[in-house]
Amino acid sequence: DTAVSQTPKYLVTQMGNDKSIKCEQNLGHDTMYWYKQDSKKFLKIMFSYNNKELIINETVPNRFSPKSPDKAHLNLHINSLELGDSAVYFCASSQEQGIGYGYTFGSGTRLTVV
Amino acid sequence: QKEVEQDPGPLSVPEGAIVSLNCTYSNSAFQYFMWYRQYSRKGPELLMYTYSSGNKEDGRFTAQVDKSSKYISLFIRDSQPSDSATYLCAMSASLYTGNQFYFGTGTSLTVIP
C-alpha cells in the first residue's frame, strides 16, 4: 500500500493552462510538503503544511497555491503555467516531531509545459 | 551561494569498489544530516540520518559528519549495481516543524558489474 501517493505521475500541458496535482499520505503524519526538483536534480521546498495549517511558504510565484483539505491531503494548484514550471514536483510527509526519520516522498509528478 | 554544495558527478565505479560521496555546507547552525537515495523516476528515500559530528554505520553504508569543516560524507563499501542511483545529502538546523531541510543537488552514481 503506497505511503505517499501523487497523481498524476506525468502531466504535459500548454502554457497558460491551469493544472492541479494531488497528494495523499496514509502514514498518519502531521506535516506535508511540496518540493520542486529541477533538471539538475536540485530539490527545493515550496510549501509545508502542519495539520492543515501553512507553515512554510517559500518564495514561489503566487500562481502556485497549495490546499490542504485535511492532514492526509495536500494538493497543489498552478495557474497560468509557464515553460519554467517544467520540473518534477514531489510531495512528502513527516511526523512533526520525528523529522529525524526524514521525509517519506511520493514518486513525483513530472510536469512538462509546452 | 547555495546552502549545500554537492558534486553532481557522474561517478562511475566497478562493482566492489568503495564509494565516497561528499557535501559541504555554509550554515554552522545545521545539526541534522541525512543522506537520501533516489532511483531514476522515483522519489528520494532516506538512507542514513546523523546528528552533529561523528560516524554512523549501517551495513555497507557509513555516514560521517565533520562540523568543524562543514563537511559530510557517505561511504559505500562493496558497492553493488543496485547502488546505482542519485545520492542527495540534506541538512537542517532543527527537527521541529517549520524548519526545512536543505538538499544538495545530488551525485549520480553508476556501479558497473
Side-chain angles (χ1 to χ4, degrees):
Chain A
D1 197 16
T2 306
V4 180
S5 59
Q6 295 178 232
T7 54
K9 287 191 186 305
Y10 299 94
L11 186 53
V12 181
T13 187
Q14 290 187 325
M15 281 174 55
N17 284 350
D18 302 339
K19 291 293 178 186
S20 291
I21 307 172
K22 295 186 176 181
C23 179
E24 176 181 4
Q25 55 97 1
N26 61 6
L27 299 166
H29 286 168
D30 296 317
T31 308
M32 296 184 73
Y33 311 81
W34 277 109
Y35 273 82
K36 179 180 179 181
Q37 188 173 46
D38 63 23
S39 58
K40 295 182 180 176
K41 294 285 190 179
F42 182 58
L43 262 173
K44 184 161 172 53
I45 193 167
M46 300 173 70
F47 302 103
S48 168
Y49 268 75
N50 178 254
N51 277 320
K52 303 195 296 175
E53 182 184 345
L54 182 64
I55 300 297
I56 292 174
N57 182 2
E58 287 295 298
T59 306
V60 300
N62 57 15
R63 299 181 294 104
F64 290 80
S65 53
K67 282 191 172 54
S68 182
D70 55 61
K71 76 171 194 177
H73 295 84
L74 180 62
N75 304 323
L76 184 65
H77 188 75
I78 315 170
N79 289 328
S80 303
L81 277 154
E82 299 177 359
L83 291 176
D85 298 332
S86 296
V88 182
Y89 292 83
F90 285 100
C91 177
S93 71
S94 69
Q95 279 294 89
E96 178 177 2
Q97 299 293 329
I99 296 179
Y101 293 99
Y103 302 154
T104 302
F105 282 89
S107 55
T109 296
R110 189 172 295 271
L111 172 65
T112 304
V113 182
V114 297
Chain B
Q1 183 192 2
K2 287 199 179 88
E3 297 271 2
V4 180
E5 298 282 352
Q6 185 175 5
D7 186 340
L11 191 58
S12 186
V13 301
E15 184 174 354
I18 296 174
V19 176
S20 172
L21 305 166
N22 311 295
C23 288
T24 58
Y25 61 95
S26 54
N27 188 342
S28 58
F30 287 152
Q31 297 190 76
Y32 301 91
F33 305 92
M34 298 186 171
W35 286 95
Y36 284 82
R37 177 175 60 197
Q38 185 176 18
Y39 290 114
S40 180
R41 299 191 178 259
K42 296 288 186 185
E45 55 178 336
L46 180 66
L47 261 184
M48 302 278 291
Y49 156 62
T50 53
Y51 168 70
S52 196
S53 285
N55 293 1
K56 185 172 183 179
E57 192 173 317
D58 184 2
R60 297 184 294 111
F61 298 88
T62 300
Q64 280 187 356
V65 175
D66 182 350
K67 288 189 68 183
S68 62
S69 303
K70 297 191 181 68
Y71 188 87
I72 70 170
S73 301
L74 177 71
F75 296 96
I76 308 174
R77 289 185 302 281
D78 187 24
S79 55
Q80 303 294 310
S82 59
D83 295 329
S84 299
T86 296
Y87 290 80
L88 301 116
C89 61
M91 47 198 80
S92 176
S94 170
L95 286 179
Y96 294 103
T97 302
N99 283 277
Q100 60 167 296
F101 278 91
Y102 293 86
F103 283 84
T105 52
T107 300
S108 175
L109 171 67
T110 302
V111 180
I112 303 165

